[in-house]
Amino acid sequence: MGSRQVTAWHHKNITVAGLGVSGVSAARALAGLGASVTVVDGGDSEALRARAAELGELGISVRLADADTLPAGTELVVTSPGWQPGSPLFAAAAAAGVDVVGDVEIAWRLRGENAAPWLAITGTNGKTTTTQMLASILRAAGLRTAAVGNIGTPIIDVVTGEEEYDVLAVELSSYQLHWAPSVRAHSAVVLNLAPDHLDWHGTMAAYAADKGRIYEGNTVACVYNVADKATEDLVVEADVEEGCRAIGFTLGAPGPSMLGVVDGILVDRAFVDNRQKNAQELAEVSDVVPAAPHNIANALAAAALARAYGVPPRAVRDGLRDFRPDAHRIAHVDEVDGVTYIDDSKATNTHAAQASLAAYEPVVWIAGGLAKGATFDELVTRSAKRLRAAVLIGADRALIRDALARHAPEVPVVELERTDTGAMLAAVREAARLAEPGDTVLLAPACASMDMFANYNKRGDAFADAVRELAAAGA
């Protein structure tokens, strides 16, 4: 990092909003550059007090249980991703003429002169899997890389750390993009767009606009989903560098400047000579695990970004072969009495659940939780023919029940009112009762988990535990 950048932060009064992982990372980095940092957080738990004490030893002020008042003299506010734009702290900042940016924006500003370029990924669903796939492909090419951003190590820690990288695979949420006006990626993708987090963004148009920021200033490729025209529209609207190309990915046969699938082969017609006539084989569909349609789409998007960076075809194949998704993403749990049990607890919205349901047939569907303002009519309409039955849990299960009654009245539905720790075991037992040999019992809740579980991981663990108990009982 150059001395000019260090000087730019020296003695600057900065308020960091939020004492979570990204907030602590930002506070440490900025204080290390000589900034005067105050962290504010609305909570006041024992864990927060412990973090505050650690930061206090670094000369960082922390104000707990008071996140609405702008500290006197603040020259810049750095927010954690989840803080809503309408927060009183930000209103006070606006009134005082103080900019609000996010940790990703700070990371971009703190990069060194020869910093690793960013290959950036966003979308309603599939971000983490695609980012990890991309990192696996880049490593297979012998490149020094890391999966960062909305995943793993805070991105500020990576760009200010001592380890050097050739290129970074950067997952960005709509929250992070909202607060990152200066980021300019080498290449980027919006995987898909569906209503989500509208309680934060306010409207679908605002949500899409924030996602579309990922394309601004791209230098080599803007990758879009051929099956989701809204993603291509964002490419058309973006202001990119001269020569930057629009690259599509599709589960069908690709046209020129696209990646797609032909006879079980992932092929590239974008980064080849004479793309009007030629195609390059990259990998087989069987190299993608699991080979569900939406996961193949993730693989194509990752391959497109890697190829935009110049990665050879063999590295795409090897990287995809080496990759295994995180837990609770269309994970095979067990087969009991001829019925397969799949954990996709990460399917926390309707778009993700629809993709998951499309991969199996027939399905006994376990769904429900916190709807986050979502509606379920389109999901049920598109998935009804695949459903053997449905078992509904959670606070907003009635919304799914009513959609099933309207659009799939022939599908048997079991509602579970209980919300204790044994609710998932009861749901799995009901699903097992309804399932027939050859069926799939699929946990794809289409809802958030926090009404019953700490997070989607705990919900998936409860499902897996229940399936194992079911298997043991039948042994």
Side-chain angles (χ1 to χ4, degrees):
M1 188 179 301
S3 59
R4 185 180 300 175
Q5 282 184 288
V6 174
T7 303
W9 301 99
H10 199 57
H11 296 312
K12 194 175 184 73
N13 291 316
I14 299 176
T15 295
V16 174
L19 198 51
V21 174
S22 63
V24 169
S25 171
R28 287 178 180 274
L30 293 167
L33 294 174
S36 177
V37 179
T38 300
V39 182
V40 299
D41 195 289
D44 189 15
S45 66
E46 184 175 338
L48 290 175
R49 288 194 292 273
R51 286 180 211 162
E54 292 176 4
L55 292 180
E57 294 178 359
L58 300 175
I60 298 170
S61 299
V62 179
R63 198 174 68 192
L64 297 176
D66 181 12
D68 293 348
T69 306
L70 186 71
T74 296
E75 298 172 83
L76 179 70
V77 174
V78 180
T79 179
S80 300
W83 283 50
Q84 294 194 346
S87 298
L89 180 71
F90 302 155
V98 174
D99 287 340
V100 179
V101 300
D103 62 309
V104 172
E105 175 70 15
I106 295 299
W108 184 259
R109 295 184 187 183
L110 292 179
R111 296 171 312 126
E113 293 179 1
N114 298 309
W118 292 12
L119 302 177
I121 299 99
T122 196
T124 304
N125 295 298
K127 295 185 293 297
T128 297
T129 297
T130 303
T131 303
Q132 292 172 330
M133 282 180 170
L134 175 59
S136 182
I137 293 169
L138 295 171
R139 283 192 293 268
L143 296 165
R144 297 170 299 175
T145 191
V148 299
N150 195 42
I151 177 178
T153 305
I155 193 166
I156 289 178
D157 293 354
V158 172
V159 301
T160 60
E162 295 184 0
E163 187 169 354
E164 295 185 355
Y165 296 96
D166 298 308
V167 59
L168 294 174
V170 185
E171 176 187 336
L172 296 175
S173 71
S174 56
Y175 302 159
Q176 290 171 317
L177 286 162
H178 180 88
W179 301 115
S182 300
V183 170
R184 298 294 183 264
H186 172 287
S187 299
V189 63
V190 179
L191 297 168
N192 42 62
L193 277 175
D196 199 19
H197 304 303
L198 300 191
D199 52 346
W200 196 95
H201 292 277
T203 66
M204 184 62 192
Y207 172 64
D210 281 335
K211 288 291 193 186
R213 288 186 181 211
I214 203 166
Y215 291 131
E216 290 298 315
N218 281 196
T219 58
V220 176
C222 294
V223 180
Y224 66 92
N225 184 348
V226 174
D228 191 337
K229 187 177 182 300
T231 65
E232 185 178 7
D233 291 341
L234 292 176
V235 174
V236 172
E237 295 164 5
D239 184 10
V240 301
E241 291 293 317
E242 186 72 26
C244 183
R245 296 171 55 201
I247 305 297
F249 66 91
T250 173
L251 293 177
S257 294
M258 294 182 187
L259 282 72
V261 181
V262 178
D263 295 333
I265 304 295
L266 275 60
V267 298
D268 172 5
R269 289 190 65 188
F271 302 101
V272 293
D273 294 331
N274 193 2
R275 57 184 179 271
Q276 296 294 330
K277 297 181 178 179
N278 296 337
Q280 171 66 56
E281 179 178 330
L282 298 176
E284 296 183 8
V285 166
S286 58
D287 292 324
V288 181
V289 178
H294 62 292
N295 208 40
I296 296 167
N298 294 337
L300 289 164
L305 290 176
R307 293 286 284 160
Y309 190 69
V311 165
R314 182 166 183 165
V316 174
R317 183 200 66 186
D318 293 347
L320 291 176
R321 285 181 176 176
D322 290 343
F323 172 76
R324 290 296 180 270
D326 287 345
H328 314 303
R329 290 171 167 83
I330 47 176
H332 182 280
V333 177
D334 205 348
E335 183 175 319
V336 182
D337 296 329
V339 176
T340 300
Y341 290 79
I342 300 293
D343 167 15
D344 198 13
S345 183
K346 184 60 172 67
T348 57
N349 55 51
T350 57
H351 187 270
Q354 182 179 310
S356 192
L357 285 163
Y360 305 99
E361 186 179 7
V363 171
V364 178
W365 180 31
I366 300 178
L370 290 175
K372 300 182 296 181
T375 58
F376 298 89
D377 294 271
E378 182 177 358
L379 170 61
V380 170
T381 299
R382 292 193 175 191
S383 306
K385 66 180 181 180
R386 297 178 175 275
L387 299 180
R388 171 84 66 195
V391 180
L392 305 180
I393 60 175
D396 292 330
R397 63 186 181 278
L399 296 174
I400 306 176
R401 177 200 65 204
D402 293 346
L404 285 163
R406 285 191 293 271
H407 306 291
E410 71 286 354
V411 173
V413 176
V414 174
E415 273 192 87
L416 297 179
E417 295 185 3
R418 60 188 293 185
T419 58
D420 59 283
T421 54
M424 186 60 78
L425 177 58
V428 168
R429 286 175 173 168
E430 287 291 342
R433 179 181 63 81
L434 293 162
E436 298 180 7
D439 287 359
T440 296
V441 171
L442 175 65
L443 174 68
C447 292
S449 59
M450 289 78 75
D451 57 331
M452 295 172 63
F453 303 93
N455 49 51
Y456 75 82
N457 295 292
K458 295 295 185 184
R459 179 170 61 189
D461 289 342
F463 175 78
D465 290 344
V467 172
R468 283 190 282 269
E469 186 169 332
L470 181 73

